């Protein structure tokens, strides 16, 4: 049995053990080589603190200090950048020949395709690699090899304002028709935005994907090829245009101009009846005294059979040749305690089997249990495709046109789909 086959077999066995919650905590073990002398690793990470504080920098600085204490001769230099800038800044570093050793950012596929990243099995011990939730590990693969290591994740249920629902006398919806009916009653009660539909350029690709999945479609088909303008997807956007936007149930801002951040702010201010939610919104709503209800996303005939998952990624760059030291640091970073601390502090979901199992039984994180429940089976965007960045940007700029009063979903989705198919062919 060759080494690759043996490793895959061991990964499968270890994953089974992890699923039972028996995976041993890994703290810097599984080093992939001997001591290599004094090395400084440069880590660039994204800012997660929604309040403008420094909790993200504090997390990484403390993690680096704890790692350095156990690994004499390895220093970690931490640089935290806002989500508005971090992907661009890492790209500029790479282009200038100054790639960081480790980057925690939003996408990995372009760097993997260019041969700039270490594969997961070049960095991680077998127990650590096997401990990732399988759907997330698979989403980190480019051409069947994992390069993107999931860092944190989220899923998206339907959020509703309990006080507004009670006032309007409506129950949480389980189908699209029930959702439209509830939105109509909320409007009659004077709710400014019965349903917030953020299809603006901030994150339209994610909002749209939630609706496509609820309509039993998606960005790709069963063979993982783009299927943007499938009949199922077109029907979903025709329903949105006719039954929500066309009946003036999506508020004063046109969906194509409404960004997620503005929608979330309005929800936290008590101005929105319903929206597709994100874990980070819970804390903001609670600060404003808004009591949030959560249910699975409604589908055409019942609760959506598939939920959307989103992951952010961490990766190791080859440029400086620090494979062993990067591996040591990442093995340490994926210790259960570290994974749980970052996810819990930011109302996000852990990406490993063992940490997820612990969070599921922790009453301190009861508000995240509904998100955790659907994560193992959640469907992620096609982030392993190098074409996805281009396709995603096209969706952000144009998908809102499909739900304008005179919008033609078949034409809008068809245009996006043709560009997607061409980009895929060029990969």
């Amino acid at each position: 049995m060759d080494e690759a086959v043996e490793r895959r077999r061991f990964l499968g066995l270890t994953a089974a053990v992890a699923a039972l919650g028996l995976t041993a905590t890994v703290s810097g073990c599984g080093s992939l080589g001997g001591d290599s002398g004094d090395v400084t690793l440069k880590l660039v990470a994204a800012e997660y603190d929604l309040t403008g504080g420094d909790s993200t920098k504090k997390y990484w600085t403390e993690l680096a200090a704890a790692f350095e204490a156990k690994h004499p001769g390895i220093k970690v230099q931490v640089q935290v950048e806002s989500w508005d800038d971090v992907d661009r800044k890492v790209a500029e570093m790479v282009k200038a020949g100054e790639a960081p050793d480790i980057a925690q950012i939003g996408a990995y596929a372009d760097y993997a395709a260019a041969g700039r990243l270490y594969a997961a099995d070049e960095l991680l011990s077998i127990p650590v690699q096997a401990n990732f939730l399988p759907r997330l590990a698979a989403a980190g693969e480019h051409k069947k090899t994992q390069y993107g290591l999931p860092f944190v994740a989220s899923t998206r249920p339907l959020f509703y304002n309990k006080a507004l629902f009670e006032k309007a006398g409506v129950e949480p919806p389980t189908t699209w028709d029930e959702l439209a009916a509830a939105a109509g009653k909320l409007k009659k009660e004077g709710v400014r935005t019965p349903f917030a539909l953020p299809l603006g350029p901030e994150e339209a690709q994610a909002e749209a994907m939630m609706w496509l999945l609820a309509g039993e479609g998606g960005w790709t088909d069963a063979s993982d090829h783009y299927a943007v303008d499938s009949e199922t997807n077109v029907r979903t956007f025709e329903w949105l245009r006719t039954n929500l936007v066309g009946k003036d149930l999506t508020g004063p801002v046109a969906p194509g101009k409404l960004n997620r951040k503005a929608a979330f702010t309005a929800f936290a201010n008590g101005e929105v009846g319903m929206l597709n939610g994100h874990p980070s919104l819970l804390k903001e709503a609670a600060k404003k005294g808004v009591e949030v209800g959560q249910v699975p996303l409604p589908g055409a005939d019942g609760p959506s059979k598939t939920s959307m998952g989103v992951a952010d990624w961490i990766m190791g760059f080859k440029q400086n040749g620090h494979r062993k030291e990067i591996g040591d640091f990442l093995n340490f970073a994926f210790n259960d305690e570290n994974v749980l601390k970052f996810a819990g502090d930011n109302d996000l979901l852990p990406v490993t089997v063992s940490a997820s199992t612990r969070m599921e039984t922790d009453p301190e994180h009861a508000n995240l249990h509904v998100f955790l429940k659907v994560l193992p089976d959640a469907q992620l965007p096609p982030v392993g495709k190098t074409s996805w960045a281009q396709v995603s940007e096209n969706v952000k700029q144009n998908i809102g046109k499909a739900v304008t009063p005179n919008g033609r979903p078949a034409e809008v989705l068809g245009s996006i789909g043709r560009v997607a198919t061409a980009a895929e062919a060029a990969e």
Side-chain angles (χ1 to χ4, degrees):
M1 185 178 293
D2 66 35
E3 183 180 350
V5 171
E6 179 64 26
R7 183 178 180 91
R8 285 195 297 271
R9 179 175 176 273
F10 199 99
L11 283 170
L13 292 171
T14 312
V17 174
L20 295 172
L22 302 175
T23 300
T25 295
V26 178
S27 180
C29 65
S31 297
L32 302 170
D35 293 336
S36 55
D38 290 344
V39 166
T40 296
L41 298 177
K42 182 166 186 177
L43 165 69
V44 179
E47 176 63 73
Y48 284 80
D49 195 318
L50 298 176
T51 66
D54 65 350
S55 63
T56 301
K57 181 69 177 284
K58 185 172 183 286
Y59 171 83
W60 284 115
T61 301
E62 291 179 354
L63 183 70
F67 172 77
E68 290 168 359
K70 294 188 176 184
H71 295 80
I74 307 177
K75 300 295 182 184
V76 182
Q77 177 187 335
V78 175
Q79 178 178 338
V80 176
E81 300 285 349
S82 75
W83 270 115
D84 292 340
D85 299 325
V86 69
D87 287 283
R88 174 180 56 81
K89 289 198 174 184
V90 169
E92 289 171 352
M93 292 176 191
V94 172
K95 186 176 181 180
E98 300 173 353
D101 295 286
I102 302 167
Q104 188 276 297
I105 51 179
Y108 68 87
D110 285 349
Y111 299 123
R116 297 184 180 276
L117 302 181
Y118 289 114
D121 59 9
E122 294 179 287
L123 298 173
L124 302 178
S125 69
I126 289 174
V128 170
Q129 188 180 358
N131 197 23
F132 290 126
L133 291 164
R135 282 285 181 112
L136 301 183
E141 292 181 358
H142 174 71
K143 295 187 175 178
K144 308 300 182 184
T145 298
Q146 185 182 358
Y147 295 95
L149 314 180
F151 178 66
V152 285
S154 65
T155 55
R156 312 288 175 89
L158 180 76
F159 282 7
Y160 63 94
N161 183 312
K162 286 187 174 182
L164 295 180
F165 263 53
E166 184 176 346
K167 183 179 178 183
V170 293
E171 296 294 323
T174 60
T175 68
W176 286 352
D177 286 345
E178 290 177 3
L179 186 151
K185 291 181 179 179
L186 289 165
K187 183 183 177 183
K188 287 181 180 177
E189 287 294 330
V191 176
R192 189 166 183 258
T193 303
F195 190 98
L197 184 65
L199 293 175
E202 181 187 353
E203 206 195 26
Q205 84 289 354
E207 180 72 21
M209 182 174 172
M210 286 182 261
W211 285 97
L212 297 182
L213 292 174
E216 300 188 12
W219 293 126
T220 55
D221 59 21
S223 60
D224 199 36
H225 293 298
Y226 287 115
V228 177
D229 58 341
S230 68
E231 288 185 15
T232 303
N233 289 349
V234 170
R235 281 199 302 271
T236 293
F237 269 83
E238 286 176 342
W239 188 90
L240 283 171
R241 180 202 59 194
T242 302
N243 295 282
L244 285 187
V245 184
K247 293 182 179 177
D248 196 26
L249 299 176
T250 53
V253 180
K257 297 182 182 294
L258 180 65
N259 281 328
R260 186 188 73 160
K261 185 176 181 180
F264 281 12
T265 298
F267 184 87
N269 288 336
E271 300 167 0
V272 173
M274 297 175 276
L275 49 61
N276 293 337
H278 182 283
S280 64
L281 179 55
L282 292 174
K283 193 174 289 184
E284 295 306 302
K287 287 179 184 176
K288 300 289 185 70
V290 172
E291 192 174 358
V292 181
Q294 305 172 48
V295 292
L297 297 182
D301 302 311
S304 177
K305 298 180 178 65
T306 308
S307 296
M308 185 190 75
V310 175
D312 299 327
W313 305 96
I314 193 165
M315 62 212 71
F317 281 85
K318 290 180 177 179
Q319 181 180 308
N320 301 317
H322 295 151
R323 180 181 70 93
K324 184 263 180 189
E325 293 84 3
I326 294 169
D328 282 349
F329 181 79
L330 291 173
N331 279 318
F332 182 81
F334 283 109
N335 172 296
D336 271 3
E337 301 304 325
N338 297 329
V339 171
L340 283 166
K341 177 167 178 52
F342 192 90
D345 286 353
N346 292 282
D347 280 334
L348 291 166
L349 307 182
V351 296
T352 63
V353 174
S354 53
S356 294
T357 300
R358 286 177 58 176
M359 184 177 273
E360 283 173 359
T361 59
D362 187 347
E364 182 184 349
H365 299 299
N367 62 329
L368 295 177
H369 291 174
V370 66
F371 300 92
L372 276 169
K373 184 177 180 180
V374 298
L375 181 60
D377 297 317
Q379 184 169 325
L380 277 74
V383 291
K385 294 178 177 290
T386 54
S387 58
W388 175 240
Q390 177 186 346
V391 174
S392 175
E393 187 60 31
N394 193 0
V395 172
K396 290 178 183 180
Q397 299 302 323
N398 293 298
I399 197 69
K401 299 172 185 175
V403 296
T404 59
N406 297 316
R408 295 179 176 172
E411 291 183 8
V412 174
L413 291 172
S415 175
I416 295 170
R418 286 189 293 274
V419 173
T421 299
E424 183 176 49
E427 287 185 344

